[in-house]
């Protein structure tokens, strides 16, 4: 049986980790390098690092941050934010990221997914989808959730897989930061439509929410991403994994910290 993954998410703005509710009212919660190192030591399976401002003038600073994090952790991590070309992705992979997440750039230019998959391998390509309910359907948004696109969640996820995506990271904007639980019905539907892993994001407020979205009779997601509950110490990863095992959700054990790795990728 495949184990489920626990993935803390670090939203980065101006070099600091921030968190909001429904993508608004952002608050600074800590230094991303120290948080990443702490989560790695606690037993997180992966990390996601998102540059939510992603300005051109900040790209070099963000790449430097990726390099510093890669030197401090020994688990895979995905980096996204402002990626609009395969060359953008290459820079972040070379800095030490294991995967890249593309969102607005792929909505604007779906062929970007295929180009990245061909160049780096599908296993490196995560298509992130931020969507919210509008006019009775789940509408995909871009530009940090500020603009509605003409795409619908489920059809876009299926198209992204066909184009070469290795994983789908769906964030429900309606649930994000509310701590009221995930959109389990939507994850269950995505999992039935797709042959690639689905990462659930948006709404974790308790260990039970994470257990539900990962369970076979709940959301059937392959991984659960969360931020607030980890950042504020409301859930510790070793405790969460113990609870998940008690509820028959298969997870990897929390292993001792391994030596630091080389931050430079040999794939580029």
């Amino acid at each position: 049986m495949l184990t489920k993954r626990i993935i803390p998410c670090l939203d980065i703005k101006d070099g600091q980790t921030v968190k909001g509710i429904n993508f608004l009212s952002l608050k600074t919660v800590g230094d991303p390098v120290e948080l990443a190192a702490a989560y790695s030591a606690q037993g997180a399976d992966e990390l996601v690092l998102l540059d939510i401002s992603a300005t051109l003038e900040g790209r070099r600073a963000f790449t430097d941050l990726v390099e510093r994090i890669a030197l401090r952790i020994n688990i895979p991590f995905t980096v996204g934010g402002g990626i609009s070309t395969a060359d953008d992705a290459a820079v972040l992979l070379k800095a030490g990221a294991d995967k890249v997440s593309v969102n607005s750039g792929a909505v604007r230019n779906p062929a970007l997914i295929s180009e990245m998959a061909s160049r780096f391998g599908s296993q490196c390509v995560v298509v992130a989808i931020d969507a919210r309910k509008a006019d009775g359907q789940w509408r995909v948004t871009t530009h940090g959730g500020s603009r509605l696109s003409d795409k619908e969640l489920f059809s876009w996820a299926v198209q992204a897989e066909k184009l070469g995506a290795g994983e789908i990271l769906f964030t429900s904007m309606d649930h994000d930061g509310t701590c009221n639980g995930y959109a389990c019905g939507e994850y269950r539907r995505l999992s039935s439509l797709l042959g690639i892993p689905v990462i659930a994001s948006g709404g974790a407020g308790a260990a039970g929410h994470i257990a539900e979205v990962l369970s076979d009779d709940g959301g059937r997601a392959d991984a659960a991403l969360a931020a607030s509950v980890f950042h504020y110490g409301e859930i510790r990863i070793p405790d969460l994994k113990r609870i998940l095992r008690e509820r028959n959700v298969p997870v990897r054990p929390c292993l001792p910290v391994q030596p630091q790795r080389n931050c430079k990728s040999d794939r580029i």
Side-chain angles (χ1 to χ4, degrees):
M1 182 180 295
L2 293 177
T3 56
K4 306 288 187 171
R5 290 170 287 152
I6 304 302
I7 308 177
C9 179
L10 282 67
D11 290 334
I12 309 299
K13 181 176 173 60
D14 300 326
Q16 291 293 308
T17 307
V18 298
K19 190 69 187 85
I21 298 175
N22 306 133
F23 286 36
L24 302 172
S25 304
L26 299 177
K27 295 181 179 179
T28 301
V29 295
D31 175 76
V33 178
E34 296 306 320
L35 283 172
Y39 292 141
S40 178
Q42 279 187 35
D45 298 301
E46 298 182 16
L47 293 176
V48 167
L49 188 71
L50 298 177
D51 181 3
I52 63 172
S53 50
T55 57
L56 289 175
E57 58 269 27
R59 175 60 67 195
R60 180 63 251 174
F62 184 66
T63 303
D64 289 343
L65 177 62
V66 171
E67 291 177 345
R68 288 190 287 130
I69 287 175
L71 286 171
R72 291 288 301 277
I73 68 175
N74 67 318
I75 56 176
F77 73 114
T78 300
V79 177
I83 295 173
S84 58
T85 69
D87 287 342
D88 291 339
V91 168
L92 296 170
L93 289 169
K94 191 171 184 179
D98 297 274
K99 309 173 193 177
V100 287
S101 170
V102 62
N103 190 333
S104 300
V107 172
R108 183 171 55 251
N109 174 25
L112 174 62
I113 300 171
S114 298
E115 183 181 355
M116 290 169 56
S118 175
R119 184 166 168 183
F120 312 121
S122 290
Q123 76 281 357
C124 294
V125 182
V126 178
V127 172
I129 303 175
D130 299 332
R132 63 180 175 87
K133 274 286 188 70
D135 302 322
Q137 66 175 346
W138 283 92
R139 295 277 300 280
V140 176
T141 70
T142 63
H143 298 79
S146 64
R147 301 182 190 178
L148 277 176
S149 77
D150 60 354
K151 296 189 181 299
E152 183 269 340
L153 166 63
F154 301 103
S155 58
W156 173 228
V158 169
Q159 182 184 359
E161 179 181 17
K162 291 178 179 177
L163 289 169
E167 292 183 290
I168 296 295
L169 167 56
F170 162 46
T171 299
S172 166
M173 294 179 62
D174 296 338
H175 294 72
D176 178 71
T178 65
C179 298
N180 291 325
Y182 294 88
C184 286
E186 282 65 38
Y187 293 110
R188 187 163 56 249
R189 183 176 173 188
L190 280 172
S191 295
S192 70
L193 290 171
L194 302 173
I196 56 177
V198 174
I199 303 171
S201 170
H209 295 150
I210 295 173
E212 181 184 19
V213 80
L214 295 176
S215 68
D216 287 342
D217 56 356
R220 299 180 187 170
D222 299 277
L225 181 147
S228 299
V229 292
F230 295 141
H231 297 339
Y232 297 123
E234 296 166 11
I235 300 177
R236 295 187 69 256
I237 292 170
D239 296 333
L240 171 61
K241 288 193 169 185
R242 173 181 54 79
I243 292 169
L244 292 174
R245 284 192 293 270
E246 290 172 353
R247 299 191 183 191
N248 297 316
V249 177
V251 290
R252 298 184 183 98
C254 295
L255 299 175
V257 177
Q258 300 297 316
Q260 295 171 350
R261 63 182 186 174
N262 189 327
C263 73
K264 297 298 183 183
S265 170
D266 60 2
R267 295 190 302 269
I268 310 304

